[in-house]
Amino acid sequence: MQKKIFVVATGAVLTLALAACSGSSSSLDDVQYSLNDATAEPSVSFQTPFTTDETSTHVIEEGDGEEIKDGDNLLIEATVFKGDDGSKVGSTYAQSPILIPVGEDLKKTAPELYDVLTSSKVGTSFSYTSNMVPSADASGSPSASEAAEDTPANVEVYTIKSKLLENATGDETPQKDLNSALESFKVGDDGKAELKLKADRGDAPKELVSQDMIKGKGEKVKASDTLYVKYQGVRWEDGKAFDGNFDGTPAELNLQGVIKGWTQGLEGKTVGSRVLLIIPEDLAYGKDAGENAPSGPLVFVVDILGASDNPQAAASMQSPSASASGSASASPSASPAAESAEPTTSAQPTSTESGK
């Protein structure tokens, strides 16, 4: 049930309301914000309807964490309020924060958001509003158009929770101490990864192998967490690569929505780690997985670049009706993730009347 914010109508407020209806714009500077120490959903109070004739941002509270630069991948909490009545449209606090890559795509689609992020530090909270309505052009590419005059605009509140590591970092395990099936793993200057298995690697694995190639110094991963990872996967049978994203945006994966080998093999690992997973077929997709997933035993190298709590997943795990399998069908481009957990490649704030 959405909680509506009521404003007491004084003479001054009534004057402002009449002015808004006659074409004047609202300002994010005039919104009253309660951030709840950025640990829970914020609340806002503003004169409705909230209207604007431009896209704008407002820094509510400056953070004191790491500086943000182009190329960073950020985890951001977001709450959106409707401009017509101030009610909450949606929030990330009950699930996981948004993954926003700060780069050319963001600069092109949401330049105001790019500017406020690249001039901020982790911990900063800011608001955003726009008179633009998201749409798509004839080719299906993201586009936007101006909303009609006096159309209520959403007020969006964001807090920069953290930024992901750029790569695995920590104490390296000597090659001689790694599983004997691994010949080599390397990431080239172009960001592409190469995972090679030894030709004489022996029989197919019957047990799960989960081994730190690099042991990170971050927090421990919980089975209910959402992870942000780069990975490379090959088939045990022929060593052929079938999926990977080391040259792209980190994948956002709910550990309860991936194959069992990932759930069991990554729980308890630490953020910053590079993990070798050798997964028997019963903990992968099975012997005959079909066209949308690789069959048989699988081998992955996974860089854990970040983790966040997922209250919804944690609650689901405690529910008697929750599935304990942890496996999921996947398209080739989403493996080993479930279809609903594909990597985020771009982000744009919801704008006027979007409600999402």
Side-chain angles (χ1 to χ4, degrees), residues 157-178:
V157 179
Y158 296 91
T159 294
I160 306 170
K161 183 177 180 180
S162 63
K163 70 176 182 178
L164 302 184
L165 296 173
E166 294 182 10
N167 45 256
T169 179
D171 298 326
E172 294 192 30
T173 301
Q175 177 72 28
K176 64 182 180 63
D177 295 332
L178 295 174

Side-chain angles (χ1 to χ4, degrees), residues 106-320:
L106 184 65
K107 190 174 183 178
K108 179 179 179 181
T109 59
E112 295 84 3
L113 179 58
Y114 176 89
D115 289 343
V116 73
L117 289 176
T118 53
S119 61
S120 298
K121 295 181 179 180
V122 171
T124 295
S125 294
F126 64 93
S127 55
Y128 173 99
T129 193
S130 179
N131 66 329
M132 304 299 289
V133 180
S135 59
D137 60 22
S139 66
S141 299
S143 182
S145 58
E146 256 188 62
E149 187 177 357
D150 294 338
T151 300
N154 289 343
V155 173
E156 309 174 15
V157 179
Y158 296 91
T159 294
I160 306 170
K161 183 177 180 180
S162 63
K163 70 176 182 178
L164 302 184
L165 296 173
E166 294 182 10
N167 45 256
T169 179
D171 298 326
E172 294 192 30
T173 301
Q175 177 72 28
K176 64 182 180 63
D177 295 332
L178 295 174
N179 189 276
S180 59
L182 177 68
E183 179 173 310
S184 65
F185 176 78
K186 62 182 180 180
V187 180
D189 293 339
D190 59 358
K192 295 184 182 297
E194 183 181 55
L195 171 57
K196 285 187 176 181
L197 304 181
K198 290 183 178 178
D200 56 348
R201 52 188 171 275
D203 296 332
K206 301 298 183 184
E207 303 290 337
L208 174 67
V209 173
S210 177
Q211 190 173 21
D212 288 324
M213 300 174 69
I214 297 174
K215 185 173 179 58
K217 302 182 185 300
E219 61 187 294
K220 282 191 175 183
V221 170
K222 303 185 296 296
S224 59
D225 279 350
T226 295
L227 296 190
Y228 307 88
V229 301
K230 290 193 174 183
Y231 63 91
Q232 182 68 31
V234 301
R235 299 194 305 176
W236 173 274
E237 181 181 10
D238 55 15
K240 289 185 177 179
F242 63 87
D243 195 17
N245 71 335
F246 269 88
D247 58 346
T249 300
E252 178 180 343
L253 305 175
N254 176 353
L255 267 190
Q256 291 304 302
V258 292
I259 56 177
K260 291 180 181 179
W262 272 60
T263 307
Q264 297 176 17
L266 296 181
E267 181 182 5
K269 296 299 183 181
T270 52
V271 172
S273 295
R274 173 170 290 172
V275 182
L276 172 66
L277 295 175
I278 300 178
I279 303 175
E281 66 181 18
D282 63 319
L283 297 181
Y285 297 100
K287 186 175 183 178
D288 299 308
E291 296 181 0
N292 292 329
S295 300
L298 305 174
V299 180
F300 292 93
V301 170
V302 183
D303 279 11
I304 306 175
L305 304 179
S308 64
D309 292 332
N310 187 327
Q312 190 176 63
S316 177
M317 289 176 63
Q318 295 173 2
S319 170

